[in-house]
């Protein structure tokens, strides 16, 4: 692989991370009409054995090869996780073999390059410019080389951004000095939740507020790819097409077919400096400080906890250059082993350590980023954690002040209290399918249908704004909060940003349980769909008295947030329903959200109780009258539910 350092067309310089790769973002999509029963499947008979076109002299698999070598082809298709590609890149997790190999990455990258050329209708020989970024994953170097090689085989010019954030990767297709055709982010396969979490959301922050009932995970072993074009992140349907094509190439290469291609020429570029400047300019312009315009954060103390991921740049390249004191910030240096805690705004240890630092240093704000900075959470000046519903409420308060009456889209795990909070400020709340792409895509769709929608957020910390290209950018969310913090100080308002959500009502309890889907992985999606549909049918057939399927708020969807009833339904990537539970006196006890995981072979039960002990009552009722009575326990591992209800 040849590496070239150049100063054109952008400000380019040598990069220590030349072996890394990137792609990512969230945009308007080419909506396809589809019945909700037509669930996207990656390993269908019709997708096997379709020959790829022979283009540019590249030798592709003959007709039927993928079908003949079915399992090897399916191993590539199974890497698809919704709009991403994710897999095991290193050994280290018991029972999970390495499947995201250099060859797998190479054929996926080559297939992405070919898909991109077709989408943009670029003739062979015309340059396609693709940027690549990465987080500090240990498997980065060897997978980057494979990624570069695959893109080069597809005729793409490759620009290596080195260590970068996922949102910055998308911005490389937008910022004028770069303006690439596409970008790929090589990122960790996120483990956002342990297998079981029990949280009292009104309690003080404490790692013991979350209880894990499974062995600890080793997320450094995993890696993945996120894809962007100028329109935003790819859809699940797009990635399915790419993986189907890659599966055929993979089988052909395993059989020794196809030429090796020429070594890629890779340009090293410094994107993060330009992206940081972009964020600084937004803060300066929108604060417009009357006495020190260029240092609007002078006098403020902000703690950043990057969790040894990619978020350290926000400390020295954004906050400090705007005048902030960041003394006491935590875990800023990238380390792919994540030695201190998982970089995750939902992680109790991350939030607790940040709280301690905020209080110890008298800071105005604490910030927690995930590994690749597409998610964030904050801690206010009193030490209160602001993540999940609280973060959505804070962003809603800010956005509704700027855009009165706007729609806010969230996933259906959000609480009834959040719905009332948004309504009390004149807004509207659309509850939609779990999955950050689903939530963002719904916001894009509503805007296209004439419904003003400025904020789209998932309870995991993914959040996108209409003003920022519908991009889920954790750093941009913090920029909005920092601007509000300064404005409140200039207006001499009492309290920090946490005072904006003092009236948010929260559930008494929140519980997450997971049930693994038993059997071969290739059957997991079908069995997961069966289990979730059985839950809906049991309620509709009055076999679960006291349970009622919930509506979805103020948007045009039905069937438990699953089915779009407007003219342009979004493709279903996983089945899920939300239902409320009433006792014999018709008093509501709480709600449960049952969903098929997009990323792992399991069923998740998210429960919220309005009363202490309500989650256990709901879980016991579901276990006895649904899981056992329906027979789904024959292919679901229900031991976590059983342990919880005892």
């Amino acid at each position: 692989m040849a590496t070239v350092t150049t100063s054109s067309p952008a400000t380019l310089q040598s990069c220590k991370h030349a072996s890394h790769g990137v792609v990512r973002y969230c945009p308007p999509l080419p909506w396809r009409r589809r019945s909700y029963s037509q669930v996207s499947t990656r390993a269908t008979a019709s997708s096997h054995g379709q020959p790829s076109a022979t283009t540019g002299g590249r030798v592709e698999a003959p007709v039927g090869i993928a079908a003949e070598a079915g399992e090897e082809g399916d191993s590539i298709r199974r890497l698809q996780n919704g709009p991403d590609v994710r897999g095991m890149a290193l050994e280290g997790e018991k029972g999970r073999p390495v499947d995201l190999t250099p060859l797998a990455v190479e054929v996926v990258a080559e297939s992405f390059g070919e898909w991109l050329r077709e989408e943009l209708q670029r003739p062979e020989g015309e340059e396609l410019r693709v940027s690549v970024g990465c987080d500090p994953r240990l498997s980065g170097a060897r997978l980057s080389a494979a990624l570069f090689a695959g893109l080069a085989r597809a005729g793409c010019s490759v620009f290596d951004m080195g260590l970068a954030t996922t949102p910055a990767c998308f911005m490389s297709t937008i910022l004028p000095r770069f303006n690439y055709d596409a970008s790929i982010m090589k990122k960790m396969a996120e483990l956002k939740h342990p297998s079981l979490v029990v949280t009292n959301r009104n309690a003080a922050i404490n790692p013991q507020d979350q209880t894990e009932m499974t062995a600890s995970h080793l997320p450094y072993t995993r890696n993945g790819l996120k894809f962007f074009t100028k329109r935003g992140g790819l859809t699940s349907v797009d990635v399915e097409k790419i993986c189907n094509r890659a599966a055929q190439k993979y089988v052909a290469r395993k059989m020794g077919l196809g030429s090796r291609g020429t070594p890629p020429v890779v340009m090293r570029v410094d994107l993060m400096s330009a992206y940081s400047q972009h964020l600084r300019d937004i803060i300066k312009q929108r604060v417009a400080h009357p006495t020190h315009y260029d240092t609007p954060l002078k006098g403020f103390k902000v703690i950043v906890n990057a969790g040894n991921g990619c978020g350290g740049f926000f400390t020295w390249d954004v906050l400090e250059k705007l005048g902030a004191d960041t003394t006491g910030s935590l875990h800023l240096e990238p380390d792919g082993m994540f030695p201190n805690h998982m970089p995750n705004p939902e992680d109790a240890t991350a939030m607790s350590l940040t709280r301690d630092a905020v209080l110890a240093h008298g800071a105005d704000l604490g910030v927690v980023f995930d590994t690749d900075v597409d998610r964030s959470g904050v801690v206010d000046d009193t030490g209160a954690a602001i993540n999940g519903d609280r973060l959505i409420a804070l962003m809603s308060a800010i956005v509704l002040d700027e855009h009165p009456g706007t729609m806010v889209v969230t996933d259906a795990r959000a609480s009834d209290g959040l719905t009332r909070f948004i309504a009390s400020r004149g807004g509207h709340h659309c509850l939609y399918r779990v999955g950050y792409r689903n939530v963002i895509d719904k916001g894009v769709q509503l805007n296209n249908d004439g419904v003003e929608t400025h904020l789209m957020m998932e309870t995991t910390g993914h959040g996108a704004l209409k003003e920022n290209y519908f991009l889920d950018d954790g750093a941009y969310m913090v920029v909005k909060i920092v601007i509000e913090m300064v404005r409140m100080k200039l207006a001499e308002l009492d309290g920090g940003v946490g005072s904006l959500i003092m009236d948010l009502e929260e559930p008494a309890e929140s519980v997450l349980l997971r049930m693994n889907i038993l059997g071969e992985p290739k059957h997991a999606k079908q069995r997961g769909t069966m289990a979730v549909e059985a839950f809906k049918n049991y309620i509709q057939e009055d076999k679960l008295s006291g349970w009622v399927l919930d509506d979805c708020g103020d948007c045009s969807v039905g069937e438990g947030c699953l089915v779009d009833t407007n003219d342009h339904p979004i493709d279903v990537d996983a089945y899920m329903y939300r239902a409320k539970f009433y006792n014999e006196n018709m008093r509501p006890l709480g709600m449960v959200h049952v969903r098929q995981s997009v990323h792992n072979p399991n069923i998740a039960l998210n429960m919220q109780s309005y009363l202490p002990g309500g989650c256990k009552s709901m879980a016991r009722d579901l276990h006895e009258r649904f899981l056992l009575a329906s027979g789904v326990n024959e292919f679901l591992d229900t031991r976590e539910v059983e342990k919880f209800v005892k």
Side-chain angles (χ1 to χ4, degrees), residues 487-540:
R487 286 175 174 173
M488 292 176 69
K489 187 73 169 288
L490 289 173
E492 299 182 348
L493 298 177
D494 293 333
V497 293
S499 64
L500 297 177
I501 59 171
M502 292 296 291
D503 56 333
L504 173 66
E505 304 169 34
E506 299 184 86
E509 297 175 336
S510 294
V511 174
L512 168 63
L513 303 171
R514 290 188 184 274
M515 299 179 290
N516 289 329
I517 300 171
L518 305 175
E520 295 184 55
K522 63 184 178 181
H523 300 311
K525 190 176 185 71
Q526 180 184 10
R527 288 177 173 175
T529 300
M530 289 171 55
V532 177
E533 282 293 283
F535 174 68
K536 180 197 75 169
N537 293 336
Y538 253 58
I539 294 176
Q540 291 183 334

Side-chain angles (χ1 to χ4, degrees), residues 231-294:
R231 295 177 308 172
L234 270 60
T235 67
S236 296
V237 173
D238 294 329
V239 177
E240 181 179 359
K241 292 177 181 177
I242 291 167
C243 286
N244 280 336
R245 186 186 299 227
Q248 297 168 48
K249 294 180 183 294
Y250 183 78
V251 172
R253 301 286 161 76
K254 295 283 277 189
M255 296 179 66
L257 302 177
S259 60
R260 287 188 56 82
T262 58
V265 176
V266 179
M267 303 287 185
R268 298 177 181 175
V269 301
D270 177 16
L271 172 78
M272 290 305 295
S273 293
Y275 174 66
S276 299
Q277 178 69 58
H278 168 69
L279 296 179
R280 294 199 305 270
D281 288 345
I282 290 171
I283 294 174
K284 288 193 289 187
Q285 292 165 10
R286 296 185 186 176
V287 170
H289 202 285
T291 59
H292 37 91
Y293 180 87
D294 288 327

Side-chain angles (χ1 to χ4, degrees), residues 5 9 46 217 220 265 302 316 393 409 436 486 517 619:
T5 302
S46 61
H217 296 292
Y220 71 86
V265 176
V302 182
W316 48 74
V409 182
Y436 74 92
V486 179
I517 300 171

Side-chain angles (χ1 to χ4, degrees), residues 8 21 127 226 294 328 391 403 469 486 558 605:
S8 175
E127 184 183 32
K226 183 79 179 177
D294 288 327
L391 183 62
H403 304 283
Y469 308 98
V486 179
L605 297 176

